[in-house]
Short mmCIF file of all heavy atoms in Angstrom, two decimals:
data_model
loop_
_atom_site.label_atom_id
_atom_site.label_comp_id
_atom_site.label_asym_id
_atom_site.label_seq_id
_atom_site.Cartn_x
_atom_site.Cartn_y
_atom_site.Cartn_z
N ILE A 1284 -3.25 -9.70 4.87
CA ILE A 1284 -2.45 -8.57 4.37
C ILE A 1284 -1.10 -8.55 5.11
O ILE A 1284 -0.04 -8.41 4.50
CB ILE A 1284 -3.21 -7.23 4.55
CG1 ILE A 1284 -4.41 -7.18 3.59
CG2 ILE A 1284 -2.28 -6.02 4.33
CD1 ILE A 1284 -5.32 -5.98 3.76
N TYR A 1288 2.24 -9.19 2.80
CA TYR A 1288 3.12 -8.03 2.60
C TYR A 1288 4.40 -8.09 3.45
O TYR A 1288 5.35 -7.37 3.20
CB TYR A 1288 2.36 -6.72 2.80
CG TYR A 1288 1.53 -6.43 1.58
CD1 TYR A 1288 0.16 -6.58 1.59
CD2 TYR A 1288 2.14 -6.07 0.38
CE1 TYR A 1288 -0.60 -6.35 0.45
CE2 TYR A 1288 1.39 -5.86 -0.76
CZ TYR A 1288 0.02 -6.00 -0.72
OH TYR A 1288 -0.70 -5.79 -1.86
N TYR A 1291 6.45 -9.88 0.90
CA TYR A 1291 6.55 -8.93 -0.21
C TYR A 1291 7.57 -7.82 0.10
O TYR A 1291 8.43 -7.50 -0.71
CB TYR A 1291 5.16 -8.35 -0.44
CG TYR A 1291 5.02 -7.20 -1.40
CD1 TYR A 1291 4.72 -7.42 -2.74
CD2 TYR A 1291 5.12 -5.87 -0.95
CE1 TYR A 1291 4.54 -6.35 -3.61
CE2 TYR A 1291 4.95 -4.81 -1.81
CZ TYR A 1291 4.66 -5.06 -3.13
OH TYR A 1291 4.49 -4.01 -3.99
N GLN A 1295 10.90 -6.93 -1.87
CA GLN A 1295 10.99 -5.61 -2.49
C GLN A 1295 12.32 -4.94 -2.12
O GLN A 1295 13.01 -4.38 -2.97
CB GLN A 1295 9.82 -4.75 -2.01
CG GLN A 1295 9.77 -3.38 -2.65
CD GLN A 1295 8.64 -2.54 -2.07
OE1 GLN A 1295 8.38 -2.58 -0.87
NE2 GLN A 1295 7.98 -1.79 -2.91
N GLN A 1320 4.27 -6.56 -11.64
CA GLN A 1320 3.33 -6.66 -10.53
C GLN A 1320 1.87 -6.52 -11.01
O GLN A 1320 1.01 -7.32 -10.66
CB GLN A 1320 3.66 -5.56 -9.51
CG GLN A 1320 2.70 -5.42 -8.38
CD GLN A 1320 2.90 -6.48 -7.32
OE1 GLN A 1320 3.75 -6.34 -6.48
NE2 GLN A 1320 2.11 -7.54 -7.38
N ASN A 1324 -1.10 -9.31 -11.03
CA ASN A 1324 -2.37 -8.97 -10.34
C ASN A 1324 -3.55 -9.18 -11.28
O ASN A 1324 -4.59 -9.72 -10.90
CB ASN A 1324 -2.39 -7.51 -9.90
CG ASN A 1324 -1.42 -7.21 -8.78
OD1 ASN A 1324 -0.90 -8.12 -8.15
ND2 ASN A 1324 -1.16 -5.94 -8.53
N TYR A 1354 -2.84 5.08 -8.75
CA TYR A 1354 -2.31 3.92 -8.03
C TYR A 1354 -0.93 3.54 -8.55
O TYR A 1354 0.00 3.29 -7.80
CB TYR A 1354 -3.33 2.79 -8.18
CG TYR A 1354 -2.88 1.36 -8.29
CD1 TYR A 1354 -2.64 0.60 -7.15
CD2 TYR A 1354 -2.75 0.74 -9.53
CE1 TYR A 1354 -2.28 -0.74 -7.25
CE2 TYR A 1354 -2.41 -0.59 -9.64
CZ TYR A 1354 -2.16 -1.32 -8.51
OH TYR A 1354 -1.80 -2.64 -8.61
N GLY A 1357 1.65 6.22 -7.72
CA GLY A 1357 2.01 6.06 -6.31
C GLY A 1357 3.05 4.96 -6.13
O GLY A 1357 4.03 5.14 -5.42
N MET A 1358 2.83 3.84 -6.80
CA MET A 1358 3.77 2.72 -6.67
C MET A 1358 5.12 3.04 -7.31
O MET A 1358 6.17 2.75 -6.75
CB MET A 1358 3.19 1.46 -7.31
CG MET A 1358 2.16 0.79 -6.45
SD MET A 1358 2.01 -0.95 -6.87
CE MET A 1358 1.05 -0.89 -8.34
N SER A 1361 7.04 5.59 -5.14
CA SER A 1361 7.62 5.09 -3.88
C SER A 1361 8.73 4.08 -4.15
O SER A 1361 9.72 4.03 -3.42
CB SER A 1361 6.55 4.52 -2.93
OG SER A 1361 6.03 3.33 -3.42
N ASN A 1362 8.61 3.29 -5.22
CA ASN A 1362 9.72 2.38 -5.57
C ASN A 1362 10.94 3.15 -6.06
O ASN A 1362 12.07 2.81 -5.78
CB ASN A 1362 9.29 1.39 -6.65
CG ASN A 1362 8.55 0.20 -6.05
OD1 ASN A 1362 9.13 -0.60 -5.33
ND2 ASN A 1362 7.27 0.10 -6.32
N TYR A 1370 15.46 1.94 2.82
CA TYR A 1370 14.14 1.34 3.02
C TYR A 1370 13.43 1.84 4.30
O TYR A 1370 12.27 2.24 4.23
CB TYR A 1370 14.28 -0.19 3.02
CG TYR A 1370 12.99 -0.89 2.70
CD1 TYR A 1370 12.45 -0.87 1.41
CD2 TYR A 1370 12.30 -1.56 3.69
CE1 TYR A 1370 11.26 -1.49 1.13
CE2 TYR A 1370 11.10 -2.20 3.40
CZ TYR A 1370 10.58 -2.17 2.13
OH TYR A 1370 9.40 -2.78 1.84
N GLN A 1373 11.94 5.21 3.73
CA GLN A 1373 10.77 5.14 2.86
C GLN A 1373 9.55 4.67 3.65
O GLN A 1373 8.45 5.22 3.52
CB GLN A 1373 11.06 4.20 1.67
CG GLN A 1373 10.02 4.24 0.57
CD GLN A 1373 9.23 2.92 0.48
OE1 GLN A 1373 9.00 2.26 1.48
NE2 GLN A 1373 8.81 2.58 -0.71
N VAL A 1374 9.77 3.67 4.50
CA VAL A 1374 8.66 3.11 5.28
C VAL A 1374 8.09 4.16 6.25
O VAL A 1374 6.88 4.31 6.38
CB VAL A 1374 9.10 1.83 6.02
CG1 VAL A 1374 8.00 1.34 6.95
CG2 VAL A 1374 9.45 0.73 5.03
N LYS A 1377 6.10 6.70 4.21
CA LYS A 1377 4.82 6.18 3.73
C LYS A 1377 3.86 5.83 4.87
O LYS A 1377 2.69 5.55 4.63
CB LYS A 1377 5.07 4.94 2.85
CG LYS A 1377 5.73 5.25 1.52
CD LYS A 1377 4.78 5.73 0.45
CE LYS A 1377 3.65 4.83 0.15
NZ LYS A 1377 3.17 4.80 -1.19
N ALA A 1378 4.38 5.88 6.11
CA ALA A 1378 3.51 5.59 7.25
C ALA A 1378 2.44 6.67 7.42
O ALA A 1378 1.44 6.47 8.09
CB ALA A 1378 4.33 5.48 8.53
N LYS A 1380 0.52 7.57 5.20
CA LYS A 1380 -0.51 7.32 4.17
C LYS A 1380 -1.98 7.51 4.59
O LYS A 1380 -2.75 8.11 3.84
CB LYS A 1380 -0.31 5.88 3.67
CG LYS A 1380 -1.08 5.50 2.44
CD LYS A 1380 -0.54 4.16 1.96
CE LYS A 1380 -1.23 3.61 0.78
NZ LYS A 1380 -0.55 2.44 0.24
N VAL A 1384 -5.10 9.79 2.56
CA VAL A 1384 -6.28 8.98 2.17
C VAL A 1384 -7.53 9.57 2.83
O VAL A 1384 -8.58 9.71 2.21
CB VAL A 1384 -6.09 7.49 2.57
CG1 VAL A 1384 -7.37 6.71 2.39
CG2 VAL A 1384 -4.96 6.86 1.75
N SER A 1440 4.13 10.26 -3.94
CA SER A 1440 3.53 8.96 -3.75
C SER A 1440 2.35 9.02 -2.76
O SER A 1440 1.29 8.44 -3.00
CB SER A 1440 4.61 7.99 -3.26
OG SER A 1440 4.04 6.79 -2.92
N ASP A 1444 -1.51 8.17 -3.40
CA ASP A 1444 -2.26 7.20 -2.58
C ASP A 1444 -3.58 7.82 -2.11
O ASP A 1444 -4.62 7.16 -2.09
CB ASP A 1444 -1.45 6.78 -1.34
CG ASP A 1444 -0.24 5.94 -1.70
OD1 ASP A 1444 -0.24 5.31 -2.77
OD2 ASP A 1444 0.72 5.91 -0.90
N THR A 1447 -5.97 7.94 -5.02
CA THR A 1447 -6.51 6.59 -5.30
C THR A 1447 -7.63 6.28 -4.32
O THR A 1447 -8.71 5.82 -4.71
CB THR A 1447 -5.40 5.52 -5.14
OG1 THR A 1447 -4.26 5.92 -5.88
CG2 THR A 1447 -5.86 4.15 -5.59
N GLY A 1448 -7.37 6.57 -3.03
CA GLY A 1448 -8.38 6.31 -2.00
C GLY A 1448 -9.66 7.09 -2.28
O GLY A 1448 -10.76 6.56 -2.15
N GLN A 1451 -11.54 5.52 -5.08
CA GLN A 1451 -12.11 4.25 -4.62
C GLN A 1451 -13.32 4.48 -3.71
O GLN A 1451 -14.28 3.72 -3.73
CB GLN A 1451 -11.05 3.43 -3.88
CG GLN A 1451 -10.03 2.82 -4.84
CD GLN A 1451 -8.90 2.11 -4.13
OE1 GLN A 1451 -8.63 2.36 -2.96
NE2 GLN A 1451 -8.23 1.23 -4.84
N THR A 1469 -8.72 -2.18 -12.22
CA THR A 1469 -7.62 -1.28 -11.85
C THR A 1469 -6.31 -1.76 -12.50
O THR A 1469 -5.58 -0.97 -13.10
CB THR A 1469 -7.44 -1.24 -10.32
OG1 THR A 1469 -8.69 -0.97 -9.73
CG2 THR A 1469 -6.43 -0.21 -9.90
N ASN A 1470 -6.06 -3.06 -12.41
CA ASN A 1470 -4.79 -3.56 -12.95
C ASN A 1470 -4.79 -3.64 -14.47
O ASN A 1470 -3.74 -3.55 -15.10
CB ASN A 1470 -4.46 -4.93 -12.34
CG ASN A 1470 -3.98 -4.76 -10.91
OD1 ASN A 1470 -2.93 -4.19 -10.68
ND2 ASN A 1470 -4.78 -5.20 -9.96
N GLY A 1511 2.52 -10.18 -3.77
CA GLY A 1511 1.85 -8.89 -4.01
C GLY A 1511 0.43 -9.10 -4.52
O GLY A 1511 -0.50 -8.42 -4.09
N GLY A 1514 -1.73 -10.57 -1.73
CA GLY A 1514 -1.95 -9.49 -0.77
C GLY A 1514 -2.94 -8.48 -1.31
O GLY A 1514 -3.82 -8.00 -0.60
N GLN A 1515 -2.81 -8.18 -2.60
CA GLN A 1515 -3.69 -7.16 -3.16
C GLN A 1515 -5.15 -7.62 -3.21
O GLN A 1515 -6.07 -6.82 -3.10
CB GLN A 1515 -3.23 -6.74 -4.56
CG GLN A 1515 -3.74 -5.36 -4.87
CD GLN A 1515 -3.54 -4.96 -6.29
OE1 GLN A 1515 -3.74 -5.75 -7.21
NE2 GLN A 1515 -3.14 -3.73 -6.50
N ILE A 1518 -6.37 -6.71 -0.05
CA ILE A 1518 -6.49 -5.24 -0.01
C ILE A 1518 -7.83 -4.84 -0.64
O ILE A 1518 -8.57 -4.02 -0.09
CB ILE A 1518 -5.33 -4.60 -0.80
CG1 ILE A 1518 -4.01 -4.86 -0.11
CG2 ILE A 1518 -5.59 -3.14 -1.10
CD1 ILE A 1518 -3.23 -3.71 0.37
N PHE A 1519 -8.15 -5.44 -1.78
CA PHE A 1519 -9.41 -5.07 -2.44
C PHE A 1519 -10.62 -5.58 -1.67
O PHE A 1519 -11.68 -4.96 -1.70
CB PHE A 1519 -9.41 -5.51 -3.91
CG PHE A 1519 -8.74 -4.51 -4.80
CD1 PHE A 1519 -7.49 -4.76 -5.35
CD2 PHE A 1519 -9.33 -3.28 -5.05
CE1 PHE A 1519 -6.86 -3.82 -6.14
CE2 PHE A 1519 -8.70 -2.32 -5.84
CZ PHE A 1519 -7.46 -2.60 -6.39
N VAL A 1522 -10.89 -2.86 0.84
CA VAL A 1522 -11.38 -1.60 0.28
C VAL A 1522 -12.88 -1.72 -0.04
O VAL A 1522 -13.66 -0.83 0.28
CB VAL A 1522 -10.60 -1.23 -1.01
CG1 VAL A 1522 -11.25 -0.06 -1.74
CG2 VAL A 1522 -9.15 -0.88 -0.67
N PRO A 1527 -11.17 2.52 1.74
CA PRO A 1527 -9.72 2.74 1.61
C PRO A 1527 -9.03 3.22 2.88
O PRO A 1527 -7.85 2.91 3.08
CB PRO A 1527 -9.61 3.78 0.50
CG PRO A 1527 -10.97 4.12 0.06
CD PRO A 1527 -11.96 3.30 0.81
N CYS A 1530 -8.34 0.32 5.09
CA CYS A 1530 -7.29 -0.45 4.43
C CYS A 1530 -5.92 0.17 4.68
O CYS A 1530 -4.96 -0.53 5.02
CB CYS A 1530 -7.62 -0.51 2.94
SG CYS A 1530 -6.39 -1.39 2.01
N SER A 1531 -5.83 1.51 4.55
CA SER A 1531 -4.52 2.13 4.72
C SER A 1531 -4.08 2.09 6.19
O SER A 1531 -2.88 2.02 6.47
CB SER A 1531 -4.50 3.56 4.17
OG SER A 1531 -5.26 4.39 4.99
N VAL A 1533 -4.70 -0.43 8.15
CA VAL A 1533 -4.20 -1.80 8.32
C VAL A 1533 -2.81 -1.96 7.70
O VAL A 1533 -1.89 -2.48 8.34
CB VAL A 1533 -5.18 -2.83 7.69
CG1 VAL A 1533 -4.53 -4.20 7.57
CG2 VAL A 1533 -6.45 -2.92 8.52
N THR A 1534 -2.62 -1.45 6.47
CA THR A 1534 -1.31 -1.65 5.82
C THR A 1534 -0.20 -0.88 6.56
O THR A 1534 0.92 -1.35 6.66
CB THR A 1534 -1.32 -1.25 4.33
OG1 THR A 1534 -1.76 0.09 4.21
CG2 THR A 1534 -2.18 -2.15 3.49
N THR A 1535 -0.58 0.28 7.11
CA THR A 1535 0.42 1.08 7.83
C THR A 1535 0.74 0.44 9.18
O THR A 1535 1.91 0.38 9.59
CB THR A 1535 -0.11 2.52 8.03
OG1 THR A 1535 -0.44 3.02 6.75
CG2 THR A 1535 0.91 3.42 8.66
N ARG A 1537 0.57 -2.61 9.83
CA ARG A 1537 1.38 -3.81 9.53
C ARG A 1537 2.87 -3.48 9.58
O ARG A 1537 3.67 -4.20 10.16
CB ARG A 1537 1.03 -4.34 8.12
CG ARG A 1537 1.99 -5.41 7.65
CD ARG A 1537 1.92 -5.64 6.16
NE ARG A 1537 2.58 -4.61 5.39
CZ ARG A 1537 3.88 -4.54 5.17
NH1 ARG A 1537 4.69 -5.44 5.71
NH2 ARG A 1537 4.40 -3.59 4.44
N LYS A 1538 3.23 -2.33 8.98
CA LYS A 1538 4.64 -1.96 8.95
C LYS A 1538 5.16 -1.73 10.37
O LYS A 1538 6.26 -2.12 10.71
CB LYS A 1538 4.83 -0.70 8.11
CG LYS A 1538 4.48 -0.95 6.66
CD LYS A 1538 4.53 0.32 5.85
CE LYS A 1538 4.11 0.07 4.43
NZ LYS A 1538 3.90 1.30 3.69
N1 LIG B 1461 -6.18 1.28 -1.81
C1 LIG B 1461 -5.42 0.46 -2.55
N2 LIG B 1461 -5.83 0.08 -3.78
C2 LIG B 1461 -5.09 -0.74 -4.55
N3 LIG B 1461 -3.92 -1.26 -4.19
C3 LIG B 1461 -3.45 -0.93 -2.99
C4 LIG B 1461 -4.17 -0.05 -2.10
N4 LIG B 1461 -3.44 0.10 -0.96
C5 LIG B 1461 -2.33 -0.66 -1.14
N5 LIG B 1461 -2.34 -1.27 -2.36
C6 LIG B 1461 -1.33 -2.17 -2.90
O1 LIG B 1461 -0.61 -2.73 -1.83
C7 LIG B 1461 0.78 -2.41 -1.95
C8 LIG B 1461 1.37 -2.22 -0.57
O2 LIG B 1461 0.73 -1.16 0.07
P1 LIG B 1461 1.29 -0.60 1.43
O3 LIG B 1461 1.53 -1.75 2.36
O4 LIG B 1461 0.39 0.49 1.91
O5 LIG B 1461 2.71 -0.06 1.08
P2 LIG B 1461 3.23 1.05 0.07
O6 LIG B 1461 2.08 1.87 -0.41
O7 LIG B 1461 4.20 1.80 0.93
O8 LIG B 1461 3.89 0.28 -1.02
C9 LIG B 1461 0.81 -1.17 -2.83
O9 LIG B 1461 2.02 -1.04 -3.49
C10 LIG B 1461 -0.34 -1.44 -3.77
O10 LIG B 1461 0.07 -2.35 -4.78
#
Side-chain angles (χ1 to χ4, degrees):
I1284 291 174
Y1288 283 106
Y1291 171 93
Q1295 184 183 39
Q1320 173 78 82
N1324 291 346
Y1354 145 86
M1358 282 204 282
S1361 70
N1362 277 293
Y1370 201 71
Q1373 190 248 32
V1374 174
K1377 291 279 304 212
K1380 191 169 177 171
V1384 170
S1440 173
D1444 291 337
T1447 309
Q1451 286 175 339
T1469 309
N1470 285 294
Q1515 204 190 41
I1518 293 242
F1519 276 108
V1522 170
C1530 179
S1531 71
V1533 167
T1534 55
T1535 304
R1537 169 197 77 81
K1538 295 175 183 169

